[in-house]
Amino acid sequence: MSIEVKDIHFSYGKIKALDGINLNLPKGAIGLLGPNGAGKSTLIRILLGFLSPHKGEGRILGYDIKTQQHMIRRYVGYMPEDDCAIPGMDAVSFTCYLGELSGMPHQEAMKRAHEVLFYVGLEESRYRMLETYSRGMRQRLKLAQAIVHDPKLIFLDEPSSGLDPHGRKEILELIMDISSKKDIQVLISSHILSDIEATCSHVVILNKGRIVTEGEMNVLKQIRYNLFEMKIKGESAEYFRKLQEINCKIDYLDDGIWKVYMPPEMNSQVIFKLAVEERVQIRYFVKSQTSLEDLFAKAVGIEG
Ligand SMILES: Nc1ncnc2c1ncn2[C@@H]1O[C@H](COP(=O)(O)OP(=O)(O)OP(=O)(O)O)[C@@H](O)[C@H]1O
Ligand SMILES: [Mg+2]
């Protein structure tokens, strides 16, 4: 296990940001998904040892988050949510400097800085002052500095934030490449479901400082419930009430299509049987792939 934490609590004054976090995460690409204010960035800063939890303990790659920050800094990379570029510096000196802060000798850091800037596609702009960088370039730079010291694990806090669809796709592809080809374990935080769906094999859903659900992406998608889409004709209110009585959840999609979440143990024939009883005609009925969005909505109780 490379990330293990037990009963982590953290508050900013009276604001409780983390309320008893327990994690035992396997190797691979991990998605930390949650709405704004869920506690994602706070958790990442605690895992890095930047903030000390008020209660609880944890180990990253076997190193204690409270007492072995220097080892964590050596073996873990961090792409912060906010800008970290230093104005007046160019990308090479900035990346080299951060490599040195992680414990690399100057010459090696310089060599690696050129390599990683090339890798993220900034080779032509590597001597430009950072204040002239666009948003997309700054995100790439943050990614480059996160991997300059050849870490075993990287924490990426909202890596695609503020990027247009093309920029988002490019940075996600880079992250997938890092995760699969470079054998670096990644933990990506995001409130964007499709980003996590595209990049991660394991997901942790965080809301209001607590873990709502956690598990392997594929398993989570399938076992939580079955999702059907249907169109009906007739009086729906009583029919839906009966479906809800037997623990189905119903949401309106659009274009006359309803989404029905059925508990995993239930046979879909029940839906037809109740329709007959309530004189409702089912005009369209298909099993739908549960997307993380549905899972997320259900998990945090915000389905519309
Ligand atoms: N420096 C701070 N001082 C006071 N409260 C803070 C501070 N940083 C975060 N918080 C609060 O702690 C909670 C968790 O914030 P955090 O930034 O960890 O969430 P997040 O999931 O990263 O959100 P986002 O998606 O907006 O980045 C929020 O209620 C936030 O307002
Ligand atoms: Mg955040």
PDB file of all heavy atoms in Angstrom, residues 205 212-213 223-227 247-249 251 261-264 290-304:
ATOM      1  N   ILE A 205     -14.367   9.123  -3.583  1.00  0.00           N
ATOM      2  CA  ILE A 205     -15.264  10.276  -3.673  1.00  0.00           C
ATOM      3  C   ILE A 205     -15.375  10.935  -2.304  1.00  0.00           C
ATOM      4  O   ILE A 205     -15.691  10.279  -1.305  1.00  0.00           O
ATOM      5  CB  ILE A 205     -16.657   9.875  -4.200  1.00  0.00           C
ATOM      6  CG1 ILE A 205     -16.510   9.260  -5.603  1.00  0.00           C
ATOM      7  CG2 ILE A 205     -17.584  11.084  -4.254  1.00  0.00           C
ATOM      8  CD1 ILE A 205     -17.816   8.859  -6.241  1.00  0.00           C
ATOM      9  N   VAL A 212     -17.224   9.410   0.746  1.00  0.00           N
ATOM     10  CA  VAL A 212     -18.580   8.951   0.470  1.00  0.00           C
ATOM     11  C   VAL A 212     -18.543   7.521  -0.041  1.00  0.00           C
ATOM     12  O   VAL A 212     -19.324   6.670   0.352  1.00  0.00           O
ATOM     13  CB  VAL A 212     -19.240   9.842  -0.598  1.00  0.00           C
ATOM     14  CG1 VAL A 212     -20.676   9.432  -0.824  1.00  0.00           C
ATOM     15  CG2 VAL A 212     -19.161  11.297  -0.201  1.00  0.00           C
ATOM     16  N   THR A 213     -17.633   7.283  -0.947  1.00  0.00           N
ATOM     17  CA  THR A 213     -17.473   5.931  -1.449  1.00  0.00           C
ATOM     18  C   THR A 213     -16.091   5.803  -2.058  1.00  0.00           C
ATOM     19  O   THR A 213     -15.443   6.797  -2.378  1.00  0.00           O
ATOM     20  CB  THR A 213     -18.588   5.579  -2.466  1.00  0.00           C
ATOM     21  OG1 THR A 213     -18.491   4.203  -2.795  1.00  0.00           O
ATOM     22  CG2 THR A 213     -18.473   6.390  -3.728  1.00  0.00           C
ATOM     23  N   ILE A 223     -21.413  -2.389  -9.669  1.00  0.00           N
ATOM     24  CA  ILE A 223     -22.124  -3.058  -8.572  1.00  0.00           C
ATOM     25  C   ILE A 223     -23.065  -2.176  -7.778  1.00  0.00           C
ATOM     26  O   ILE A 223     -23.936  -2.662  -7.110  1.00  0.00           O
ATOM     27  CB  ILE A 223     -21.156  -3.725  -7.565  1.00  0.00           C
ATOM     28  CG1 ILE A 223     -20.297  -2.673  -6.902  1.00  0.00           C
ATOM     29  CG2 ILE A 223     -20.358  -4.846  -8.216  1.00  0.00           C
ATOM     30  CD1 ILE A 223     -19.664  -3.172  -5.626  1.00  0.00           C
ATOM     31  N   ARG A 224     -22.878  -0.877  -7.869  1.00  0.00           N
ATOM     32  CA  ARG A 224     -23.684  -0.039  -6.978  1.00  0.00           C
ATOM     33  C   ARG A 224     -25.179  -0.142  -7.297  1.00  0.00           C
ATOM     34  O   ARG A 224     -26.001  -0.247  -6.448  1.00  0.00           O
ATOM     35  CB  ARG A 224     -23.232   1.404  -7.064  1.00  0.00           C
ATOM     36  CG  ARG A 224     -21.797   1.583  -6.619  1.00  0.00           C
ATOM     37  CD  ARG A 224     -21.688   1.701  -5.148  1.00  0.00           C
ATOM     38  NE  ARG A 224     -22.319   2.913  -4.669  1.00  0.00           N
ATOM     39  CZ  ARG A 224     -22.365   3.251  -3.399  1.00  0.00           C
ATOM     40  NH1 ARG A 224     -21.839   2.468  -2.505  1.00  0.00           N
ATOM     41  NH2 ARG A 224     -22.936   4.361  -3.026  1.00  0.00           N
ATOM     42  N   TYR A 225     -25.531  -0.078  -8.534  1.00  0.00           N
ATOM     43  CA  TYR A 225     -26.930  -0.195  -8.916  1.00  0.00           C
ATOM     44  C   TYR A 225     -26.994  -0.328 -10.431  1.00  0.00           C
ATOM     45  O   TYR A 225     -26.017  -0.079 -11.125  1.00  0.00           O
ATOM     46  CB  TYR A 225     -27.751   1.026  -8.477  1.00  0.00           C
ATOM     47  CG  TYR A 225     -27.126   2.319  -8.895  1.00  0.00           C
ATOM     48  CD1 TYR A 225     -27.385   2.857 -10.140  1.00  0.00           C
ATOM     49  CD2 TYR A 225     -26.229   2.976  -8.057  1.00  0.00           C
ATOM     50  CE1 TYR A 225     -26.783   4.021 -10.550  1.00  0.00           C
ATOM     51  CE2 TYR A 225     -25.610   4.146  -8.464  1.00  0.00           C
ATOM     52  CZ  TYR A 225     -25.889   4.660  -9.704  1.00  0.00           C
ATOM     53  OH  TYR A 225     -25.288   5.811 -10.113  1.00  0.00           O
ATOM     54  N   ASN A 226     -28.143  -0.715 -10.925  1.00  0.00           N
ATOM     55  CA  ASN A 226     -28.315  -0.807 -12.370  1.00  0.00           C
ATOM     56  C   ASN A 226     -29.103   0.398 -12.842  1.00  0.00           C
ATOM     57  O   ASN A 226     -30.084   0.799 -12.220  1.00  0.00           O
ATOM     58  CB  ASN A 226     -29.076  -2.083 -12.719  1.00  0.00           C
ATOM     59  CG  ASN A 226     -28.214  -3.293 -12.435  1.00  0.00           C
ATOM     60  OD1 ASN A 226     -27.076  -3.351 -12.868  1.00  0.00           O
ATOM     61  ND2 ASN A 226     -28.751  -4.235 -11.677  1.00  0.00           N
ATOM     62  N   LEU A 227     -28.646   0.938 -13.936  1.00  0.00           N
ATOM     63  CA  LEU A 227     -29.321   2.126 -14.458  1.00  0.00           C
ATOM     64  C   LEU A 227     -30.019   1.789 -15.777  1.00  0.00           C
ATOM     65  O   LEU A 227     -29.427   1.207 -16.677  1.00  0.00           O
ATOM     66  CB  LEU A 227     -28.284   3.235 -14.670  1.00  0.00           C
ATOM     67  CG  LEU A 227     -28.769   4.503 -15.371  1.00  0.00           C
ATOM     68  CD1 LEU A 227     -29.850   5.207 -14.572  1.00  0.00           C
ATOM     69  CD2 LEU A 227     -27.599   5.460 -15.589  1.00  0.00           C
ATOM     70  N   ASN A 247     -37.471   1.024  -3.562  1.00  0.00           N
ATOM     71  CA  ASN A 247     -36.085   1.507  -3.546  1.00  0.00           C
ATOM     72  C   ASN A 247     -35.454   1.826  -4.893  1.00  0.00           C
ATOM     73  O   ASN A 247     -34.231   1.854  -5.019  1.00  0.00           O
ATOM     74  CB  ASN A 247     -35.158   0.538  -2.787  1.00  0.00           C
ATOM     75  CG  ASN A 247     -35.500   0.489  -1.330  1.00  0.00           C
ATOM     76  OD1 ASN A 247     -35.908   1.513  -0.767  1.00  0.00           O
ATOM     77  ND2 ASN A 247     -35.388  -0.675  -0.730  1.00  0.00           N
ATOM     78  N   CYS A 248     -36.277   2.033  -5.911  1.00  0.00           N
ATOM     79  CA  CYS A 248     -35.727   2.545  -7.162  1.00  0.00           C
ATOM     80  C   CYS A 248     -35.649   4.056  -7.037  1.00  0.00           C
ATOM     81  O   CYS A 248     -36.482   4.671  -6.369  1.00  0.00           O
ATOM     82  CB  CYS A 248     -36.641   2.202  -8.329  1.00  0.00           C
ATOM     83  SG  CYS A 248     -36.631   0.458  -8.740  1.00  0.00           S
ATOM     84  N   LYS A 249     -34.652   4.637  -7.685  1.00  0.00           N
ATOM     85  CA  LYS A 249     -34.569   6.104  -7.729  1.00  0.00           C
ATOM     86  C   LYS A 249     -34.868   6.552  -9.141  1.00  0.00           C
ATOM     87  O   LYS A 249     -34.465   5.885 -10.096  1.00  0.00           O
ATOM     88  CB  LYS A 249     -33.173   6.577  -7.336  1.00  0.00           C
ATOM     89  CG  LYS A 249     -32.939   6.514  -5.850  1.00  0.00           C
ATOM     90  CD  LYS A 249     -31.537   6.993  -5.532  1.00  0.00           C
ATOM     91  CE  LYS A 249     -31.283   7.013  -4.050  1.00  0.00           C
ATOM     92  NZ  LYS A 249     -31.743   8.261  -3.426  1.00  0.00           N
ATOM     93  N   ASP A 251     -34.955   9.766 -12.006  1.00  0.00           N
ATOM     94  CA  ASP A 251     -34.485  11.095 -12.399  1.00  0.00           C
ATOM     95  C   ASP A 251     -34.966  11.385 -13.813  1.00  0.00           C
ATOM     96  O   ASP A 251     -35.027  10.467 -14.632  1.00  0.00           O
ATOM     97  CB  ASP A 251     -32.951  11.091 -12.519  1.00  0.00           C
ATOM     98  CG  ASP A 251     -32.303  11.542 -11.262  1.00  0.00           C
ATOM     99  OD1 ASP A 251     -32.987  12.097 -10.411  1.00  0.00           O
ATOM    100  OD2 ASP A 251     -31.076  11.324 -11.147  1.00  0.00           O
ATOM    101  N   TYR A 261     -32.783   4.072 -11.417  1.00  0.00           N
ATOM    102  CA  TYR A 261     -31.686   3.378 -10.732  1.00  0.00           C
ATOM    103  C   TYR A 261     -32.297   2.245  -9.947  1.00  0.00           C
ATOM    104  O   TYR A 261     -33.116   2.474  -9.059  1.00  0.00           O
ATOM    105  CB  TYR A 261     -30.975   4.297  -9.747  1.00  0.00           C
ATOM    106  CG  TYR A 261     -30.363   5.522 -10.357  1.00  0.00           C
ATOM    107  CD1 TYR A 261     -31.069   6.716 -10.422  1.00  0.00           C
ATOM    108  CD2 TYR A 261     -29.069   5.493 -10.856  1.00  0.00           C
ATOM    109  CE1 TYR A 261     -30.509   7.850 -10.972  1.00  0.00           C
ATOM    110  CE2 TYR A 261     -28.492   6.626 -11.407  1.00  0.00           C
ATOM    111  CZ  TYR A 261     -29.222   7.804 -11.460  1.00  0.00           C
ATOM    112  OH  TYR A 261     -28.670   8.914 -12.004  1.00  0.00           O
ATOM    113  N   MET A 262     -31.883   1.036 -10.289  1.00  0.00           N
ATOM    114  CA  MET A 262     -32.477  -0.117  -9.635  1.00  0.00           C
ATOM    115  C   MET A 262     -31.473  -0.767  -8.700  1.00  0.00           C
ATOM    116  O   MET A 262     -30.311  -0.955  -9.089  1.00  0.00           O
ATOM    117  CB  MET A 262     -32.867  -1.116 -10.729  1.00  0.00           C
ATOM    118  CG  MET A 262     -34.102  -1.885 -10.407  1.00  0.00           C
ATOM    119  SD  MET A 262     -34.458  -3.016 -11.740  1.00  0.00           S
ATOM    120  CE  MET A 262     -33.025  -4.032 -11.685  1.00  0.00           C
ATOM    121  N   PRO A 263     -31.885  -1.130  -7.479  1.00  0.00           N
ATOM    122  CA  PRO A 263     -30.942  -1.809  -6.579  1.00  0.00           C
ATOM    123  C   PRO A 263     -30.390  -3.056  -7.262  1.00  0.00           C
ATOM    124  O   PRO A 263     -31.118  -3.719  -8.019  1.00  0.00           O
ATOM    125  CB  PRO A 263     -31.789  -2.181  -5.364  1.00  0.00           C
ATOM    126  CG  PRO A 263     -32.982  -1.304  -5.426  1.00  0.00           C
ATOM    127  CD  PRO A 263     -33.212  -0.984  -6.880  1.00  0.00           C
ATOM    128  N   PRO A 264     -29.125  -3.394  -7.014  1.00  0.00           N
ATOM    129  CA  PRO A 264     -28.477  -4.468  -7.768  1.00  0.00           C
ATOM    130  C   PRO A 264     -29.185  -5.811  -7.688  1.00  0.00           C
ATOM    131  O   PRO A 264     -29.161  -6.577  -8.645  1.00  0.00           O
ATOM    132  CB  PRO A 264     -27.079  -4.559  -7.139  1.00  0.00           C
ATOM    133  CG  PRO A 264     -27.065  -3.638  -5.986  1.00  0.00           C
ATOM    134  CD  PRO A 264     -28.216  -2.719  -6.081  1.00  0.00           C
ATOM    135  N   THR A 290     -23.547   2.931 -16.384  1.00  0.00           N
ATOM    136  CA  THR A 290     -23.526   3.917 -15.311  1.00  0.00           C
ATOM    137  C   THR A 290     -22.253   4.733 -15.412  1.00  0.00           C
ATOM    138  O   THR A 290     -21.167   4.213 -15.336  1.00  0.00           O
ATOM    139  CB  THR A 290     -23.536   3.207 -13.950  1.00  0.00           C
ATOM    140  OG1 THR A 290     -24.574   2.263 -13.967  1.00  0.00           O
ATOM    141  CG2 THR A 290     -23.768   4.184 -12.841  1.00  0.00           C
ATOM    142  N   SER A 291     -22.401   6.008 -15.584  1.00  0.00           N
ATOM    143  CA  SER A 291     -21.190   6.821 -15.656  1.00  0.00           C
ATOM    144  C   SER A 291     -20.839   7.273 -14.248  1.00  0.00           C
ATOM    145  O   SER A 291     -21.644   7.218 -13.333  1.00  0.00           O
ATOM    146  CB  SER A 291     -21.421   8.034 -16.537  1.00  0.00           C
ATOM    147  OG  SER A 291     -22.177   8.978 -15.830  1.00  0.00           O
ATOM    148  N   LEU A 292     -19.634   7.715 -14.115  1.00  0.00           N
ATOM    149  CA  LEU A 292     -19.189   8.177 -12.812  1.00  0.00           C
ATOM    150  C   LEU A 292     -20.054   9.345 -12.339  1.00  0.00           C
ATOM    151  O   LEU A 292     -20.287   9.537 -11.164  1.00  0.00           O
ATOM    152  CB  LEU A 292     -17.724   8.604 -12.907  1.00  0.00           C
ATOM    153  CG  LEU A 292     -17.057   8.875 -11.582  1.00  0.00           C
ATOM    154  CD1 LEU A 292     -17.087   7.659 -10.693  1.00  0.00           C
ATOM    155  CD2 LEU A 292     -15.634   9.321 -11.814  1.00  0.00           C
ATOM    156  N   GLU A 293     -20.571  10.066 -13.302  1.00  0.00           N
ATOM    157  CA  GLU A 293     -21.431  11.202 -12.961  1.00  0.00           C
ATOM    158  C   GLU A 293     -22.655  10.745 -12.174  1.00  0.00           C
ATOM    159  O   GLU A 293     -23.041  11.365 -11.185  1.00  0.00           O
ATOM    160  CB  GLU A 293     -21.866  11.909 -14.237  1.00  0.00           C
ATOM    161  CG  GLU A 293     -22.618  13.174 -13.976  1.00  0.00           C
ATOM    162  CD  GLU A 293     -22.594  14.075 -15.193  1.00  0.00           C
ATOM    163  OE1 GLU A 293     -22.048  13.678 -16.240  1.00  0.00           O
ATOM    164  OE2 GLU A 293     -23.126  15.161 -15.085  1.00  0.00           O
ATOM    165  N   ASP A 294     -23.251   9.647 -12.624  1.00  0.00           N
ATOM    166  CA  ASP A 294     -24.405   9.123 -11.905  1.00  0.00           C
ATOM    167  C   ASP A 294     -24.011   8.640 -10.519  1.00  0.00           C
ATOM    168  O   ASP A 294     -24.679   8.887  -9.536  1.00  0.00           O
ATOM    169  CB  ASP A 294     -25.025   7.960 -12.686  1.00  0.00           C
ATOM    170  CG  ASP A 294     -25.674   8.463 -13.955  1.00  0.00           C
ATOM    171  OD1 ASP A 294     -26.513   9.357 -13.860  1.00  0.00           O
ATOM    172  OD2 ASP A 294     -25.319   7.966 -15.029  1.00  0.00           O
ATOM    173  N   LEU A 295     -22.881   7.939 -10.502  1.00  0.00           N
ATOM    174  CA  LEU A 295     -22.390   7.407  -9.236  1.00  0.00           C
ATOM    175  C   LEU A 295     -22.126   8.557  -8.272  1.00  0.00           C
ATOM    176  O   LEU A 295     -22.513   8.540  -7.117  1.00  0.00           O
ATOM    177  CB  LEU A 295     -21.092   6.633  -9.494  1.00  0.00           C
ATOM    178  CG  LEU A 295     -20.297   6.255  -8.253  1.00  0.00           C
ATOM    179  CD1 LEU A 295     -21.065   5.249  -7.425  1.00  0.00           C
ATOM    180  CD2 LEU A 295     -18.953   5.698  -8.654  1.00  0.00           C
ATOM    181  N   PHE A 296     -21.477   9.569  -8.823  1.00  0.00           N
ATOM    182  CA  PHE A 296     -21.122  10.730  -8.032  1.00  0.00           C
ATOM    183  C   PHE A 296     -22.380  11.400  -7.484  1.00  0.00           C
ATOM    184  O   PHE A 296     -22.496  11.667  -6.296  1.00  0.00           O
ATOM    185  CB  PHE A 296     -20.351  11.682  -8.947  1.00  0.00           C
ATOM    186  CG  PHE A 296     -19.948  12.958  -8.296  1.00  0.00           C
ATOM    187  CD1 PHE A 296     -18.946  12.962  -7.344  1.00  0.00           C
ATOM    188  CD2 PHE A 296     -20.541  14.142  -8.654  1.00  0.00           C
ATOM    189  CE1 PHE A 296     -18.557  14.139  -6.755  1.00  0.00           C
ATOM    190  CE2 PHE A 296     -20.161  15.327  -8.069  1.00  0.00           C
ATOM    191  CZ  PHE A 296     -19.162  15.328  -7.115  1.00  0.00           C
ATOM    192  N   ALA A 297     -23.350  11.632  -8.356  1.00  0.00           N
ATOM    193  CA  ALA A 297     -24.583  12.294  -7.947  1.00  0.00           C
ATOM    194  C   ALA A 297     -25.282  11.493  -6.859  1.00  0.00           C
ATOM    195  O   ALA A 297     -25.729  12.034  -5.850  1.00  0.00           O
ATOM    196  CB  ALA A 297     -25.501  12.466  -9.153  1.00  0.00           C
ATOM    197  N   LYS A 298     -25.322  10.199  -7.047  1.00  0.00           N
ATOM    198  CA  LYS A 298     -25.984   9.335  -6.075  1.00  0.00           C
ATOM    199  C   LYS A 298     -25.224   9.340  -4.750  1.00  0.00           C
ATOM    200  O   LYS A 298     -25.798   9.458  -3.687  1.00  0.00           O
ATOM    201  CB  LYS A 298     -26.039   7.915  -6.637  1.00  0.00           C
ATOM    202  CG  LYS A 298     -27.113   7.048  -6.028  1.00  0.00           C
ATOM    203  CD  LYS A 298     -27.209   5.774  -6.825  1.00  0.00           C
ATOM    204  CE  LYS A 298     -27.357   4.562  -5.924  1.00  0.00           C
ATOM    205  NZ  LYS A 298     -28.657   4.465  -5.297  1.00  0.00           N
ATOM    206  N   ALA A 299     -23.896   9.255  -4.875  1.00  0.00           N
ATOM    207  CA  ALA A 299     -23.068   9.161  -3.679  1.00  0.00           C
ATOM    208  C   ALA A 299     -23.167  10.422  -2.826  1.00  0.00           C
ATOM    209  O   ALA A 299     -23.198  10.354  -1.612  1.00  0.00           O
ATOM    210  CB  ALA A 299     -21.621   8.893  -4.064  1.00  0.00           C
ATOM    211  N   VAL A 300     -23.182  11.580  -3.472  1.00  0.00           N
ATOM    212  CA  VAL A 300     -23.223  12.805  -2.673  1.00  0.00           C
ATOM    213  C   VAL A 300     -24.652  13.340  -2.504  1.00  0.00           C
ATOM    214  O   VAL A 300     -24.853  14.379  -1.926  1.00  0.00           O
ATOM    215  CB  VAL A 300     -22.290  13.916  -3.218  1.00  0.00           C
ATOM    216  CG1 VAL A 300     -20.852  13.439  -3.245  1.00  0.00           C
ATOM    217  CG2 VAL A 300     -22.706  14.379  -4.590  1.00  0.00           C
ATOM    218  N   GLY A 301     -25.613  12.584  -3.017  1.00  0.00           N
ATOM    219  CA  GLY A 301     -27.013  12.929  -2.783  1.00  0.00           C
ATOM    220  C   GLY A 301     -27.455  14.220  -3.432  1.00  0.00           C
ATOM    221  O   GLY A 301     -28.219  14.977  -2.869  1.00  0.00           O
ATOM    222  N   ILE A 302     -26.927  14.518  -4.620  1.00  0.00           N
ATOM    223  CA  ILE A 302     -27.316  15.772  -5.265  1.00  0.00           C
ATOM    224  C   ILE A 302     -28.015  15.528  -6.592  1.00  0.00           C
ATOM    225  O   ILE A 302     -28.083  16.390  -7.431  1.00  0.00           O
ATOM    226  CB  ILE A 302     -26.106  16.710  -5.497  1.00  0.00           C
ATOM    227  CG1 ILE A 302     -24.997  15.975  -6.233  1.00  0.00           C
ATOM    228  CG2 ILE A 302     -25.621  17.291  -4.210  1.00  0.00           C
ATOM    229  CD1 ILE A 302     -23.869  16.877  -6.694  1.00  0.00           C
ATOM    230  N   GLU A 303     -28.520  14.306  -6.784  1.00  0.00           N
ATOM    231  CA  GLU A 303     -29.154  14.053  -8.071  1.00  0.00           C
ATOM    232  C   GLU A 303     -30.398  14.929  -8.224  1.00  0.00           C
ATOM    233  O   GLU A 303     -31.081  15.210  -7.239  1.00  0.00           O
ATOM    234  CB  GLU A 303     -29.500  12.581  -8.255  1.00  0.00           C
ATOM    235  CG  GLU A 303     -30.581  12.091  -7.348  1.00  0.00           C
ATOM    236  CD  GLU A 303     -30.120  10.839  -6.622  1.00  0.00           C
ATOM    237  OE1 GLU A 303     -29.144  10.908  -5.871  1.00  0.00           O
ATOM    238  OE2 GLU A 303     -30.720   9.815  -6.844  1.00  0.00           O
ATOM    239  N   GLY A 304     -30.600  15.375  -9.432  1.00  0.00           N
ATOM    240  CA  GLY A 304     -31.697  16.317  -9.658  1.00  0.00           C
ATOM    241  C   GLY A 304     -32.959  15.612  -9.931  1.00  0.00           C
ATOM    242  O   GLY A 304     -33.910  16.061 -10.388  1.00  0.00           O
TER     243      GLY A 304
END
